Amino acid sequence: MLLAELEIFHSRTNAPTRRVALGYTYLPLQNGSGNGAVLLAGIIARFIPDIDEDFYDDYKKLLYQLQRGERISQPRLRHRFQEDKIGLARTVHQLQEFEGKYRFIFELNEAAAEQNILAAAYSISQFAYRERPAVVNLMHKAVKWRGEVGTDFISYLLSRHDKFVADLGHESSESWALKVLGISITNPDDDEVKKQFRKLLRSTHPDTGSDDVKVDVARRIQDLTEARRILLR
């Protein structure tokens, strides 16, 4: 089943100019689905190891500029972004569900690594401003990933709190963690985090109640533990 799709138009390897444009995009974030953000992050994780490391800082800066809706100077990563698709080659990347699991389908042809990750970045403009912080948060995590873009990447990307992707009211994983632990101050010290974690953990009893209650409690403990890890790192 198709979960998300990004169509990219780009100049060919032997073309005198380097261009990239967006085609059809299916990047859902509504109704509890963060599949669009997951696909964009997957594209970044798959192709960013192949770019020149000198481009990394400019790429991360570009993500922030697109999140804020700033005017983007051209070219970026030696490629110019445009709307015209005439004469450009086509590449399509997808996120699918197969037997209950995520599966990335990357089309590997003439598209350069820079063209793929630039298309993922420029897709940020497809989202409302309130949605962008959560999307860009995942994209920055993807920049750091090294390894196969599969099940382990998904686990790393969502960090056991995939509700964060769907709950787009959170600007970062830190804001999610603060809410989980019930901490109102922005920058709590380690002692405050540990104190609140212990307090909430003591109020959670995994060995009592029905099976449904036990499942909810187990998830609550996972969230508390992950929130503590985020704020203490």
Side-chain angles (χ1 to χ4, degrees), residues 31 33 166 171 208:
N31 301 321
S33 169
E171 294 187 356
T208 60

Side-chain angles (χ1 to χ4, degrees), residues 150-229:
T151 304
D152 288 344
F153 170 71
I154 293 292
S155 298
Y156 158 80
L157 189 68
L158 301 181
S159 298
R160 301 194 304 278
H161 59 277
D162 50 348
K163 288 186 295 183
F164 162 66
V165 183
D167 186 0
L168 296 167
H170 296 296
E171 294 187 356
S172 66
S173 54
E174 285 76 14
S175 67
W176 174 87
L178 290 170
K179 181 177 180 180
V180 168
L181 290 175
I183 298 174
S184 58
I185 58 177
T186 304
N187 296 304
D189 58 32
D190 289 357
D191 288 341
E192 175 64 22
V193 172
K194 294 175 182 177
K195 176 183 176 182
Q196 188 67 5
F197 171 77
R198 289 193 296 267
K199 174 184 175 182
L200 294 176
L201 195 62
R202 282 196 298 268
S203 66
T204 305
H205 303 286
D207 296 326
T208 60
S210 65
D211 288 342
D212 288 342
V213 171
K214 289 179 181 179
V215 169
D216 289 340
V217 167
R219 289 174 179 168
R220 173 64 171 163
I221 292 174
Q222 284 185 343
D223 282 351
L224 290 172
T225 303
E226 176 64 9
R228 179 184 183 275
R229 184 193 67 80

Side-chain angles (χ1 to χ4, degrees), residues 8-208:
I8 306 168
F9 287 89
H10 52 86
S11 54
R12 294 175 170 82
T13 53
N14 59 351
T17 58
R18 300 174 181 179
R19 309 277 179 169
V20 63
L22 294 179
Y24 170 76
T25 60
Y26 173 56
L27 302 170
L29 290 178
Q30 297 80 18
N31 301 321
S33 169
N35 294 327
V38 172
L39 174 60
L40 297 181
I43 293 170
I44 293 171
R46 170 61 182 82
F47 293 102
I48 201 164
D50 298 330
I51 74 168
D52 191 320
E53 289 187 2
D54 291 342
F55 288 151
Y56 274 48
D57 287 343
D58 188 39
Y59 186 68
K60 288 186 283 187
K61 179 180 178 181
L62 176 63
L63 294 179
Y64 280 124
Q65 289 177 317
L66 289 164
Q67 176 182 327
R68 294 191 293 264
E70 295 181 6
R71 182 178 180 276
I72 306 301
S73 60
Q74 300 291 333
R76 302 305 284 267
L77 312 191
R78 298 177 184 167
H79 286 74
R80 186 170 295 277
F81 180 70
Q82 63 184 46
E83 294 186 4
D84 184 14
K85 308 175 187 66
I86 297 175
L88 299 181
R90 175 179 176 270
T91 293
V92 177
H93 302 307
Q94 295 180 341
L95 177 66
Q96 298 181 0
E97 182 182 355
F98 180 72
E99 295 182 350
K101 296 182 179 180
Y102 280 122
R103 181 172 66 175
F104 292 99
I105 306 296
F106 299 117
E107 192 172 273
L108 306 177
N109 48 28
E110 289 189 343
E114 292 85 356
Q115 292 167 332
N116 284 302
I117 66 170
L118 282 171
Y122 286 119
S123 296
I124 294 170
S125 63
Q126 306 291 309
F127 304 115
Y129 282 102
R130 67 177 180 82
E131 299 170 337
R132 294 182 188 183
V135 176
V136 173
N137 178 274
L138 292 190
M139 297 171 87
H140 277 290
K141 291 187 71 173
V143 169
K144 302 174 184 177
W145 176 257
R146 293 297 178 271
E148 183 179 351
V149 182
T151 304
D152 288 344
F153 170 71
I154 293 292
S155 298
Y156 158 80
L157 189 68
L158 301 181
S159 298
R160 301 194 304 278
H161 59 277
D162 50 348
K163 288 186 295 183
F164 162 66
V165 183
D167 186 0
L168 296 167
H170 296 296
E171 294 187 356
S172 66
S173 54
E174 285 76 14
S175 67
W176 174 87
L178 290 170
K179 181 177 180 180
V180 168
L181 290 175
I183 298 174
S184 58
I185 58 177
T186 304
N187 296 304
D189 58 32
D190 289 357
D191 288 341
E192 175 64 22
V193 172
K194 294 175 182 177
K195 176 183 176 182
Q196 188 67 5
F197 171 77
R198 289 193 296 267
K199 174 184 175 182
L200 294 176
L201 195 62
R202 282 196 298 268
S203 66
T204 305
H205 303 286
D207 296 326
T208 60

